[in-house]
Amino acid sequence: MLTTVANNAVVYSVFVRQHSAEGTFDGVTSDFSRIAALGATHVWLLPIHPIGVKNRKHSEASLGCPYAIQDYRAVNPEYGSLEDFQRLIKTAHENDLKVLIDCVYNHTSPDSVLVKNHPDWFHKNDKGEIATRFSEWWDVVDLAYYKDGGQRNEPLWEYLLESLIYWISLGVDGFRCDVASVVPIDFWIEAREAIRSKFPERSTMWLAESTGPSMIRSCRRMGIPMASEAQLHQAFELCYQYNIFKVGAIFAKNARARSVHD
């Protein structure tokens, strides 16, 4: 599902905390003229939301991982206010830049708003505890898109869709979706259609962090559904293209070999 906008996109990645000495939205905003001059068309902001404290890697006194999100509908106060973020979007648009934000919908932090208010929206381990399905990700817990009987967890789907609509209404131009392969493809298809219906005049970009064939096979063996890039392209314009990475590497190697012999 490649659009003209995506086909010509140059995406500049920004981790707000590390981008400037201040580590704030304003520190990014003041740099947009330089970023635009590089030829970028889109700025992708790594997660902008509050970071959970519970089970932080290293220690709870550390800065934490931005992918352990505490509240999907708030901005990290360490970065600034919501007004600061809206000014960032406005300034980006004035510099002909589109803004993508990270959409982390496989998991939240263990002390997230959703864990507190909706514990039934999460995956449970064999002990009945809210948990992650990936042992190395101990600072997060996984959302459960389907109930035990296989029915959709409708309130969760509605909440997540409404959250996406909220950010688009503030001027966000698209989403880079974290571990998109693990989130049901039906959700992404529905999300894209909901945004298109709500904002028909907007050109929203959808970028999927897909995974490679080896991880897909491994997860499926463990009973964890995982979409391939071919499946993700039903909803996303862009994936990480792991499926062709090895082919591209072989092509590049052979091209170098020919240039040496020529």
Side-chain angles (χ1 to χ4, degrees):
M1 191 179 287
L2 190 63
T3 65
T4 303
V5 172
N7 194 41
N8 296 310
V10 177
V11 181
Y12 188 101
S13 176
V14 170
F15 182 15
V16 175
R17 181 197 292 165
Q18 301 297 111
H19 188 76
S20 66
E22 302 86 0
T24 63
F25 291 133
D26 285 347
V28 177
T29 301
S30 63
D31 198 28
F32 279 147
S33 60
R34 182 191 67 85
I35 293 173
L38 294 173
T41 59
H42 294 69
V43 173
W44 154 37
L45 302 176
L46 276 67
I48 61 169
H49 310 293
I51 299 170
V53 175
K54 185 178 180 181
N55 292 353
R56 280 187 177 180
K57 293 184 175 180
H58 307 299
S59 75
E60 292 189 356
S62 71
L63 293 173
C65 174
Y67 289 89
I69 292 173
Q70 202 170 54
D71 187 350
Y72 287 132
R73 298 183 180 181
V75 297
N76 188 339
E78 297 172 3
Y79 296 167
S81 65
L82 181 61
E83 291 72 23
D84 295 332
F85 179 65
Q86 290 176 290
R87 184 167 57 253
L88 179 152
I89 294 172
K90 181 176 182 292
T91 305
H93 292 167
E94 289 170 350
N95 283 273
D96 295 323
L97 293 168
K98 305 274 189 187
V99 177
L100 311 180
I101 62 171
D102 232 306
C103 172
V104 187
Y105 271 7
N106 175 64
H107 49 257
T108 74
S109 70
D111 55 354
S112 70
V113 170
L114 296 189
V115 169
K116 179 180 178 181
N117 296 329
H118 303 283
D120 55 317
W121 290 1
F122 288 84
H123 167 74
K124 307 289 198 308
N125 61 19
D126 293 339
K127 298 178 182 179
E129 302 165 331
I130 292 174
T132 177
R133 294 165 293 175
F134 301 91
S135 59
E136 65 273 25
W137 297 353
W138 66 83
D139 59 339
V140 297
V141 289
D142 289 3
L143 290 162
Y145 284 78
Y146 293 96
K147 301 178 181 179
D148 289 342
Q151 305 97 335
R152 277 175 36 161
N153 199 338
E154 293 289 354
L156 170 62
W157 287 52
E158 291 172 8
Y159 182 91
L160 297 177
L161 289 172
E162 289 168 2
S163 299
L164 294 175
I165 289 170
Y166 169 70
W167 291 109
I168 293 292
S169 73
L170 292 183
V172 166
D173 301 293
F175 304 98
R176 178 268 186 190
C177 300
D178 188 63
V179 287
S181 297
V182 191
V183 175
I185 185 62
D186 286 347
F187 173 82
W188 295 127
I189 293 172
E190 190 167 316
R192 184 179 183 117
E193 184 53 38
I195 297 295
R196 184 170 20 225
S197 298
K198 186 77 173 177
F199 305 96
E201 75 287 357
R202 301 281 294 278
S203 178
T204 305
M205 181 184 284
W206 295 83
L207 166 62
E209 183 200 17
S210 49
T211 58
S214 61
M215 185 172 180
I216 292 173
R217 287 192 295 269
S218 176
C219 285
R220 288 177 176 175
R221 281 196 295 267
M222 292 189 294
I224 301 174
M226 182 163 284
S228 67
E229 288 184 341
Q231 291 170 311
L232 287 174
H233 275 300
Q234 296 175 73
F236 291 91
E237 288 132 329
L238 299 172
C239 293
Y240 276 28
Q241 303 307 131
Y242 286 111
N243 284 349
I244 64 170
F245 176 78
K246 287 186 178 180
V247 174
I250 293 170
F251 177 83
K253 182 179 179 180
N254 291 338
R256 287 196 300 270
R258 284 196 300 273
S259 67
V260 169
H261 293 297
D262 291 345

